Amino acid sequence: MIGIVIVSHSAKLVEGVIELSSEMGGEDLQLYGAGGLNTATHSLGTDPAMIREAIEQAYSPEGVLVLMDLGSALLSAETAIDMLPPDKAEAVVLCHAPLVEGTVAAAVQARLGAPIEQVAAEAEGALAAKIAHLASATDDIPSPHPPAETPPDDQPYTLQLTIKNPLGLHARPAARFVKTAGDFPQATVYVSNETTGQGPVNAKSINGMALLGVQQGHEILIAASGPQAQAALEALQMLANDNFGDKPDIQPS
């Protein structure tokens, strides 16, 4: 699994991003932060030495993805990479994704064991769902559509579900959906929103799931192929039976 490093001028912001991303991706992530300056009060700023230390903690031969907030965070991250041994420096990828949304998307994808290129791409596409949602309220913002997907011609196993969650498949249940689908690497799984006509999208992509805009009462169609297809659909059915992990008093996320 790749490592992920969050760089911010604020130590408190780093703590919050790690908390949120761990909730979505899981506790076993290699997720580290470098926030604020190395002072008693952790005053605002970025410190290349702290970033280098975080990268070394997160280091994996599979790579380390670094997400930054603004301004000097990028310069400090570049300096930190220059301070690393060449073999470790080559494994580090600086990502231009938005800090919060990008880290959450990266965390979910990293949890599936995806290569760093795929994790970075997922992080960089993390704003699409927010843009799509806001575009529904104004004509001034172009509305993106779910990324074009080409499912295999032969997908013999399908599952149709009616979503009962009061808030639909918001962030937490969508992340659980993606992680459950990702538990079956030998299954190719796609999902469509039959109510709105959106999709199909890769069920192992949190961004794709978010772009479907699944709300309460919507019907979704899950199609799977591969040696683990039937097992994947059975697991997703069990997840749906458990209301995707939502509790009756769940709050929006």
Side-chain angles (χ1 to χ4, degrees):
M1 184 186 302
I2 74 161
I4 300 174
V5 171
I6 302 108
V7 178
S8 172
H9 287 66
S10 168
K12 292 181 179 179
L13 179 56
V14 166
E15 291 175 4
V17 173
I18 289 178
E19 178 184 18
L20 180 60
S21 301
S22 297
E23 169 72 17
M24 299 299 176
E27 296 295 334
D28 55 344
L29 291 166
Q30 296 297 313
L31 195 60
Y32 296 88
L37 296 175
N38 190 17
T39 63
T41 59
H42 293 289
S43 50
L44 295 177
T46 56
D47 184 333
M50 289 178 62
I51 299 169
R52 180 196 64 186
E53 181 179 354
I55 292 173
E56 290 182 333
Q57 289 176 312
Y59 178 75
S60 162
E62 298 174 33
V64 178
L65 189 70
V66 180
L67 297 99
M68 304 140 287
D69 57 4
L70 48 87
S72 65
L74 174 57
L75 298 176
S76 295
E78 290 175 333
T79 302
I81 293 175
D82 290 339
M83 298 164 67
L84 291 168
D87 58 330
K88 290 186 176 180
E90 291 176 357
V92 181
V93 173
L94 300 183
C95 183
H96 64 253
L99 187 67
V100 178
E101 295 91 339
T103 306
V104 169
V108 174
Q109 201 65 30
R111 172 63 177 75
L112 302 184
I116 192 166
E117 296 82 6
Q118 186 175 337
V119 176
E122 190 79 0
E124 289 164 2
L127 276 183
K130 182 183 288 185
I131 295 170
H133 179 82
L134 293 176
S136 65
T138 176
D139 295 331
D140 297 332
I141 305 175
S143 178
H145 297 286
E149 299 280 359
T150 306
D153 293 332
D154 182 20
Q155 288 191 293
Y157 299 99
T158 60
L159 172 65
Q160 190 155 355
L161 299 172
T162 300
I163 303 304
K164 300 178 181 179
N165 302 54
L167 300 172
L169 293 186
H170 59 94
R172 280 186 293 247
R176 295 183 187 110
F177 189 108
V178 170
K179 286 190 287 184
T180 300
D183 285 339
F184 300 90
Q186 296 182 49
T188 301
V189 187
Y190 285 84
V191 58
S192 302
N193 187 331
E194 296 290 278
T195 302
T196 65
Q198 297 279 55
V201 300
N202 187 344
K204 300 177 184 181
S205 165
I206 189 67
N207 293 334
M209 290 296 300
L211 281 167
L212 289 179
V214 180
Q215 300 177 14
Q216 184 183 33
H218 284 189
E219 290 189 355
I220 63 172
L221 178 66
I222 310 168
S225 62
Q228 294 181 311
Q230 191 169 6
L233 293 188
E234 290 173 356
L236 289 168
Q237 178 69 73
M238 291 180 62
L239 182 66
N241 293 344
D242 189 40
N243 211 35
F244 297 94
D246 268 358
K247 300 297 183 289
D249 60 346
I250 196 72
Q251 296 297 312
S253 65

